[in-house]
């Protein structure tokens, strides 16, 4: 990416202005398993609230924020997930980003992308007609 794209394209990562704002007013709080970096403002605003934000590694997609960091970003957890949350349970699965629009997206049986073959009709369906009242 060139210099101009880092100024104007917000969908490919942090813009130049966001990077400057982060360096000046933010402090790094942590990083998740996907490489996203989380920040918190150094000083609270006039209402006493500290601002929290994320700089994504790669494209900006909110579904790439794990649940524990999502709760921290929205102020549901006072401390970062490493300190505030208990360790993960053995039955918990890793979060998965939104796969819509990719080749890994779920396609039900009968979908055109999955081959378009639907199961045969069972004969128990009777179409509605306005003459049948």
């Amino acid at each position: 990416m060139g210099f101009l794209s880092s100024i104007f394209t917000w969908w490919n990562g942090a813009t130049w202005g966001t990077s400057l704002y982060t360096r000046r007013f933010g402090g790094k709080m942590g990083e998740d398993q996907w490489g996203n970096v989380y920040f918190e403002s150094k000083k609270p605003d006039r209402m006493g609230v500290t601002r929290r934000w994320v700089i994504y590694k790669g494209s900006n997609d909110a579904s790439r924020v794990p649940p524990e960091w999502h709760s921290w970003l929205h102020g549901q957890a006072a401390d970062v997930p490493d300190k505030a949350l208990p360790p993960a349970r053995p039955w918990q699965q890793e979060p998965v980003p939104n796969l819509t629009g990719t080749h890994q997206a779920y396609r039900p049986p009968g979908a055109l992308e999955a081959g378009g073959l639907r199961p045969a009709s069972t004969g128990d369906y009777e179409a509605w007609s306005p003459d049948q009242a």
Side-chain angles (χ1 to χ4, degrees), residues 18-96:
T18 303
S19 299
L20 284 176
Y21 180 87
T22 299
R23 276 193 219 122
R24 184 167 181 194
F25 298 110
K28 182 178 176 180
M29 297 304 291
E31 189 171 333
D32 66 16
Q33 66 267 28
W34 295 322
N36 301 327
V37 184
Y38 299 87
F39 295 91
E40 187 172 42
S41 59
K42 294 177 183 174
K43 291 192 229 175
D45 63 5
R46 291 181 290 187
M47 301 298 287
V49 179
T50 56
R51 183 174 174 210
R52 296 173 175 180
W53 66 94
V54 59
I55 295 186
Y56 299 98
K57 180 179 181 183
S59 64
N60 293 338
D61 181 9
S63 72
R64 294 177 54 223
V65 174
E68 60 271 9
W69 280 104
H70 180 271
S71 64
W72 178 82
L73 279 172
H74 292 277
Q76 297 170 343
D79 212 350
V80 293
D82 298 340
K83 298 176 185 173
L85 296 176
R89 310 268 185 189
W91 46 264
Q92 287 179 312
Q93 295 181 352
E94 286 291 318
V96 179

Side-chain angles (χ1 to χ4, degrees), residues 1-23 53-56 58 60:
M1 292 275 169
F3 177 72
L4 288 176
S5 64
S6 69
I7 294 174
F8 297 112
T9 59
W10 57 267
W11 54 87
N12 289 326
T15 60
W16 191 63
T18 303
S19 299
L20 284 176
Y21 180 87
T22 299
R23 276 193 219 122
W53 66 94
V54 59
I55 295 186
Y56 299 98
N60 293 338

